[in-house]
Amino acid sequence: MPETKVVLLEQDDLMHPNTGESNFNESAYYNFYDRTQRFGGFIRLGNRANEGYAEMTACIYLPDGTVGFMFQRPEITNNDAHNAGGAKFEVIKPFEHHRVSYHGKLCVLKNPLEMADPAKAFKTNPYSKAALEIDYVATSPGWGGELREKSGDQWISPKPSGDPEAQFAKGHLEQLGHATGKLLLSTDGNEREFKIDALGLRDHSWGPRYWQAPKFYRWLTMNFDQDLGAMATITVNRDGSERPGGFIARKGKPFLNIVKVDVQTEFTGDQQLHDKIKATCQTSDGGAPTVITGTVLSMIPLRNRRAGIVTRIAEGMTEWNWDGKIGYGLSEYLDHFEE
């Protein structure tokens, strides 16, 4: 049997071959938070070329508590680039420098929880024109990769196997970064400009994906400063098995992999959305568990439907506390509900 292990290649920061599954997906995502202005957001493009469209999501958490949001399914015919629905992602230098932009509309929600019913929310709230331009520069190495086989002196992707409908991603990478740029919002001739100097995390995944594949997951991203960040996640599969993971990144030191994650949550409101979080993470060095607490600053519930299942992806901009050190990032909770 050939040697196999999770390997991250420089080419993984570029587009991957379309392996032909009907639900093949290649997505890239960038989040950021400017703690000085109390302002941040995320933007995502997921190419589903074999289904003929991309999923484009842009979400901006504004300082006054309102949230600007847009979701589209623009038509695409190939997986050559992330460039659809007004969003464009360019890799200037793999794992070092990306350029991110969005030119389009945002629905501006004074009450972001209204997005639980997107048809109504999009009809009853005002819109702004948005121009987002960001340079995203790495503050840590990339983390993750794909399970690959050794062939000679190269690592190659094995042939696709398993039920693609039960898969969530064949390969996946994450990286901490520093975002600089600006956002221009224009509403009825009134313009607001935000200069961006923010920390964040990006991810990139490829392979078959349905949002309904896992039973649920929790994904927590954290930036404390340019020298310290983390990601902790736990996915519970349909068979009840758990997949914990993540990392702690300190400048100048190797990643500490997270091998066990316990997430305790206080939920709030009629929609029972996450509000207070306690994440206990055991790292691969066998040291004492790391305990990080979080408080959601701003929340928007997003929705995906398939085969009679309503999937809620709750996106909370979160303030983190690690032994008195304050950080920021996204807490993303995926859960399913019957129609």
Side-chain angles (χ1 to χ4, degrees):
M1 294 287 291
E3 180 186 357
T4 61
K5 69 175 184 178
V6 175
V7 177
L8 184 62
L9 304 174
E10 183 169 311
Q11 68 204 45
D12 284 333
D13 215 15
L14 306 174
M15 307 305 290
H16 290 75
N18 184 337
T19 47
E21 300 89 351
S22 63
N23 62 336
F24 177 84
N25 168 84
E26 179 145 15
S27 63
Y29 160 103
Y30 303 79
N31 73 33
F32 62 94
Y33 189 77
D34 185 324
R35 66 176 66 199
T36 302
Q37 299 185 80
R38 311 286 287 183
F39 153 81
F42 67 89
I43 184 166
R44 176 184 182 272
L45 265 174
N47 286 354
R48 294 183 173 272
N50 300 330
E51 297 175 82
Y53 65 89
E55 295 171 327
M56 195 293 299
T57 306
C59 185
I60 301 295
Y61 300 82
L62 294 165
D64 62 1
T66 61
V67 174
F69 178 77
M70 181 52 61
F71 177 79
Q72 298 181 58
R73 286 194 175 98
E75 181 180 338
I76 60 171
T77 58
N78 58 59
N79 191 49
D80 294 347
H82 280 125
N83 184 4
K88 184 178 182 181
F89 306 155
E90 300 172 271
V91 179
I92 307 304
K93 189 172 183 180
F95 291 105
E96 292 189 27
H97 180 195
H98 289 211
R99 191 159 289 144
V100 178
S101 63
Y102 172 67
H103 293 265
K105 294 190 300 181
L106 294 173
C107 179
V108 181
L109 300 121
K110 287 187 177 179
N111 178 10
L113 302 189
E114 291 178 4
M115 197 48 70
D117 183 350
K120 182 178 179 182
F122 281 128
K123 288 178 181 177
T124 57
N125 286 283
Y127 287 79
S128 283
K129 292 181 180 178
L132 175 69
E133 300 280 352
I134 289 175
D135 280 287
Y136 211 93
V137 176
T139 60
S140 79
W143 177 92
E146 180 184 327
L147 184 64
R148 291 183 159 105
E149 298 176 352
K150 191 71 175 290
S151 176
D153 60 354
Q154 295 185 323
W155 291 96
I156 62 171
S157 298
K159 292 182 179 179
S161 62
D163 179 4
E165 294 206 7
Q167 297 178 34
F168 198 67
K170 182 173 71 170
H172 179 87
L173 69 89
E174 302 194 22
Q175 186 175 35
L176 300 169
H178 180 201
T180 56
K182 65 180 180 180
L183 171 69
L184 185 65
L185 294 178
S186 177
T187 308
D188 297 329
N190 297 316
E191 292 190 345
R192 288 184 291 168
E193 182 174 318
F194 298 87
K195 298 288 188 181
I196 298 170
D197 187 353
L199 296 175
L201 177 144
R202 71 179 183 94
D203 83 357
H204 183 170
S205 66
W206 56 96
R209 168 182 287 203
Y210 281 132
W211 291 102
Q212 290 71 28
K215 185 176 180 181
F216 66 86
Y217 71 66
R218 312 296 184 230
W219 184 53
L220 316 176
T221 79
M222 311 167 190
N223 294 78
F224 293 91
D225 56 36
Q226 290 218 43
D227 298 337
L228 177 64
M231 182 278 290
T233 184
I234 184 161
T235 298
V236 176
N237 299 311
R238 291 289 182 175
D239 62 6
S241 61
E242 296 184 356
R243 288 191 293 115
F247 63 86
I248 295 172
R250 291 183 173 90
K251 188 175 183 179
K253 295 184 179 181
F255 282 118
L256 265 182
N257 287 318
I258 294 172
V259 296
K260 185 177 180 181
V261 180
D262 177 71
V263 179
Q264 298 179 27
T265 309
E266 293 181 24
F267 296 90
T268 189
D270 293 341
Q271 297 185 44
Q272 285 296 283
L273 295 156
H274 63 280
D275 183 56
K276 306 286 187 185
I277 304 165
K278 180 181 178 182
T280 303
C281 306
Q282 182 65 58
T283 50
S284 55
D285 63 348
T290 297
V291 178
I292 303 171
T293 58
T295 301
V296 173
L297 303 176
S298 185
M299 167 65 70
I300 184 167
L302 308 182
R303 192 177 74 182
N304 183 281
R305 281 176 164 171
R306 179 179 170 270
I309 299 174
V310 175
T311 299
R312 183 180 72 189
I313 307 161
E315 304 279 4
M317 185 61 77
T318 303
E319 182 176 271
W320 301 105
N321 187 315
W322 182 355
D323 289 337
K325 193 170 184 65
I326 302 302
Y328 298 89
L330 266 289
S331 54
E332 180 176 283
Y333 278 38
L334 179 143
D335 296 281
H336 305 295
F337 306 91
E338 294 183 357
E339 288 275 22

